[in-house]
Amino acid sequence: NSEIEYEHAKVASTVSAGAGDVEIEFATLDFLLTEQANIRAGLVLMPMGFLNEIHEPPFYFGNLRPEVEQRIIPTTWRELGVGLHGTILPGLTYRTYVTNSLNAKGFSKSDIRSSRQNGNRALFEDFAWTTRLDYTPMPGLLLGGSVFWGDTGQDQLFAGKEIAANLRLYEFHGQYQYRGLQLRALFAQGHIGDADVLSAALGANGPISSRIVGGYVEAGYDILPLLFPGTEMSLSPFIRFERLDTQADVPAGFTPDRSRDIRVINAGLSFKPIPNVVIKLDYRNLEASAGQIADEFNIGFGFIF
């Protein structure tokens, strides 16, 4: 299984914008052994949250992914490794991988996205372990969670010191779908070790918080079947509220950046003329504990093939 992605229309820069890129989003070999245990190896998508493994536009509301699943869970996130996946009991599935860990030099006060190595000559001095459980007790109801654990120092020096910079990141998620209704909730939190040394070493990118946290709740409803029974088209109004803080617990002697304590209300419409094409219209109201963030009005078109 693999996916190649073209971002921003072209690789070369233009007079209006910087360069795009071509990326292998994931590339894995699956060795299907038994229902309970199968081997997966390669550039694997980390099994965290709703959107990291399935992140194409028709599969989420709004033109932009939730901030929590960009800043706390750094989608799209993939690393090199090997692991197991399967079904333990009816309705209970798992995925567990050993991969290279993140690179702490990419941590910043706003998120941990730049610490992803994404298979590009990845430093593999520090390993990481990620595991996920999902349980479907009844049709339409999904409950689950995942955890990432690994040192991120990669045997590098930070402010003249070699540190572990251990990261423990976990999330819990739930989803309920019934006819046209979809409800989602997610909570994620990470704990970063040696945050004081990282804050001193990373300078303008800091301070690095020892705790990052966020969550959101979301509701949407497909109203077209009520108007046109049997239609394959869908029109779904939705609303999402999220709260996140990547400066929740900065080390002593450093001042937290309160502009990173963010609240977002996102509301809009998603129209699908066919299941793999979506037209989106949404409004995002953003507020921070310090400073101002412009609100957004977004229109987008997406598809998969």
Side-chain angles (χ1 to χ4, degrees):
N1 296 303
S2 65
E3 177 185 341
I4 297 177
E5 177 178 272
Y6 300 86
E7 288 194 344
H8 308 304
K10 60 184 297 184
V11 173
S13 61
T14 69
V15 69
S16 302
D21 54 29
V22 179
E23 298 181 351
I24 297 177
E25 292 236 322
F26 68 92
T28 62
L29 286 173
D30 276 18
F31 300 86
L32 303 180
L33 307 177
T34 69
E35 184 179 7
Q36 291 76 26
N38 304 282
I39 300 172
R40 177 170 292 159
L43 185 63
V44 298
L45 289 164
M46 308 302 277
M48 301 196 77
F50 285 114
L51 300 182
N52 199 55
E53 294 177 298
I54 303 176
H55 46 258
E56 285 71 29
F59 300 122
Y60 60 89
F61 290 127
N63 284 279
L64 300 175
R65 299 168 188 167
E67 293 291 324
V68 172
E69 296 209 59
Q70 296 186 68
R71 299 177 183 272
I72 310 299
I73 302 172
T75 58
T76 303
W77 180 14
R78 66 272 194 195
E79 306 292 353
L80 297 167
V82 62
L84 299 173
H85 64 95
T87 301
I88 303 173
L89 298 169
L92 181 62
T93 64
Y94 76 96
R95 295 183 286 292
T96 185
Y97 306 137
V98 174
T99 65
N100 66 269
S101 191
L102 298 172
N103 184 346
K105 285 193 173 180
F107 290 162
S108 75
K109 60 186 176 183
S110 61
D111 55 49
I112 61 173
R113 292 181 61 79
S114 294
S115 66
R116 302 169 300 172
Q117 300 201 69
N118 295 338
N120 181 14
R121 292 180 288 273
L123 298 180
F124 222 131
E125 300 297 332
D126 287 328
F127 291 76
W129 172 68
T130 309
T131 195
R132 176 188 182 115
L133 288 173
D134 282 314
Y135 181 49
T136 306
M138 55 182 281
L141 178 62
L142 171 70
L143 302 171
S146 61
V147 61
F148 170 95
W149 179 90
D151 292 345
T152 64
Q154 299 292 357
D155 287 355
Q156 302 171 103
L157 293 180
F158 297 84
K161 300 178 181 179
E162 187 174 303
I163 58 175
N166 181 266
L167 172 64
R168 302 182 309 279
L169 178 64
Y170 55 88
E171 60 85 18
F172 303 100
H173 55 266
Q175 175 177 277
Y176 180 66
Q177 294 176 302
Y178 179 73
R179 297 184 177 177
L181 176 67
Q182 177 175 293
L183 303 175
R184 274 185 176 178
L186 181 144
F187 172 81
Q189 183 162 270
H191 299 272
I192 300 174
D194 299 301
D196 54 344
V197 180
L198 290 171
S199 296
L202 297 178
N205 290 331
I208 306 302
S209 177
S210 61
R211 183 170 66 94
I212 57 176
V213 61
Y216 68 86
V217 292
E218 174 186 274
Y221 195 91
D222 179 10
I223 62 175
L224 273 191
L226 302 177
L227 305 174
F228 306 101
T231 183
E232 291 188 1
M233 298 189 295
S234 68
L235 177 64
S236 301
F238 79 93
I239 187 168
R240 176 168 62 237
F241 173 78
E242 54 183 322
R243 176 77 182 268
L244 66 151
D245 189 355
T246 60
Q247 295 276 278
D249 191 6
V250 303
F254 294 90
T255 302
D257 183 347
R258 301 321 305 160
S259 69
R260 308 300 171 177
D261 180 6
I262 301 171
R263 296 163 296 281
V264 185
I265 298 176
N266 193 185
L269 295 169
S270 287
F271 172 62
K272 294 182 181 179
I274 58 175
N276 61 335
V277 172
V278 64
I279 301 169
K280 300 184 178 186
L281 172 71
D282 71 270
Y283 170 76
R284 295 208 316 165
N285 173 263
L286 299 97
E287 294 184 357
S289 293
Q292 294 183 337
I293 308 176
D295 294 345
E296 299 174 355
F297 180 73
N298 301 303
I299 300 174
F301 308 86
F303 63 93
I304 58 171
F305 61 89

